[in-house]
Amino acid sequence: MSGVADGEAYDVTETGAEGALGERSGAPAGALGVAGLELKPALEAVLMVVDEPATEEHLARVLERPRRAVALALRELSDDYTRQGRGFDLRLVAGGWRFYSRAAYADAVESFVLDGQQARLTQAALETLAVVAYRQPVSRSRVSAVRGVNCDGVMRTLLQRGLVEEAGTEPETGAILYRTTNYFLERMGLRGLDELPELAPFLPEADAVEGDSPEGIPSFDVDDSGDSQTDH
């Protein structure tokens, strides 16, 4: 097998058209690295394997391209998929880009994913998630006060599903505070919390809730086996 000694410089002045790309004789395909790949197909390949939205900065660093070029290519790809009526979409969500199935084909996706199994959140979980989203950071006792029922079991479900996370403690009581996660934004198709629809008119007045609930209501920090009067 022929090779080139370590440290040998590339000669791009005398090798013709192929040499203009910096290729040396016998070099394997891909020897130039990711910087030599066509940008849009490279972006598609990377985005096919991400498990969370990828930021433009991250993609630019991985593909060794300017961020502006990456941002432009991503938007062009997204426009192309929409114009072609593809079943998937490339969207900017939660600060990054990721492939999603197009809303028009939600029934087909739901049929495949669920396949007879109920995987949706319960009404209790949705109500609890809504309170956290609009009142965050918020303790479980305050969420329970808004809903009027112990929410420990539901909060555990939301934590397990990665929709909420701990966000420090409440200075006055030491109670654990909770907030929504980037995964929540991703699942909701939101860029940020400022895109949440306006629901303030439908929620209890803060003074009315907090006046009755702060530390007078127990925090419900109990073990799974000790839950009582908890909805799921």
Side-chain angles (χ1 to χ4, degrees):
M1 175 179 178
S2 61
V4 179
D6 291 341
E8 181 176 338
Y10 292 94
D11 183 356
V12 297
T13 61
E14 299 179 357
T15 52
E18 291 184 352
L21 295 176
E23 295 180 351
R24 60 189 178 189
S25 177
L32 291 177
V34 294
L37 298 173
E38 188 176 346
L39 181 54
K40 287 184 180 179
L43 285 168
E44 291 175 323
V46 171
L47 291 172
M48 285 292 292
V49 299
V50 299
D51 55 9
E52 61 183 18
T55 65
E56 292 171 0
E57 293 89 343
H58 189 189
L59 292 169
R61 184 170 65 254
V62 169
L63 298 179
E64 301 176 10
R65 303 295 180 86
R67 176 184 173 181
R68 180 176 298 181
V70 169
L72 178 61
L74 288 166
R75 284 163 176 77
E76 289 180 349
L77 283 172
S78 180
D79 291 343
D80 288 344
Y81 300 147
T82 298
R83 184 170 58 255
Q84 296 165 9
R86 306 298 291 269
F88 58 88
D89 187 16
L90 179 58
R91 284 186 276 158
L92 176 61
V93 173
W97 292 84
R98 187 176 181 180
F99 283 120
Y100 294 87
S101 56
R102 201 170 292 278
Y105 302 97
D107 290 344
V109 175
E110 181 178 16
S111 178
F112 176 80
V113 173
L114 298 182
D115 194 19
Q117 299 180 0
Q118 181 56 262
R120 293 181 176 177
L121 292 174
T122 63
Q123 183 65 32
L126 289 172
E127 292 175 2
T128 300
L129 184 58
V131 175
V132 174
Y134 284 92
R135 300 291 300 278
Q136 61 184 307
V138 62
S139 66
R140 279 189 288 180
S141 64
R142 293 176 187 265
V143 175
S144 296
V146 173
R147 294 197 58 236
V149 63
N150 186 327
C151 67
D152 284 2
V154 177
M155 287 293 287
R156 277 192 292 273
T157 296
L158 297 177
L159 283 165
Q160 291 169 355
R161 295 199 180 192
L163 294 168
V164 302
E165 63 185 2
E166 294 185 4
T169 58
E170 193 171 43
E172 300 84 359
T173 67
I176 297 175
L177 298 174
Y178 297 90
R179 65 188 175 198
T180 54
T181 62
N182 278 339
Y183 180 62
F184 164 79
L185 294 177
E186 179 186 342
R187 299 298 295 175
M188 294 294 292
L190 305 174
R191 290 190 176 96
L193 293 174
D194 57 334
E195 292 190 355
L196 283 169
E198 180 61 47
L199 287 183
F202 302 98
L203 293 176
E205 291 294 333
D207 293 341
V209 172
E210 295 177 2
D212 297 332
S213 73
E215 286 60 83
I217 292 180
S219 65
F220 303 114
D221 291 330
V222 295
D223 295 332
D224 290 355
S225 58
D227 285 350
S228 61
Q229 299 180 3
T230 302
D231 56 7
H232 297 279

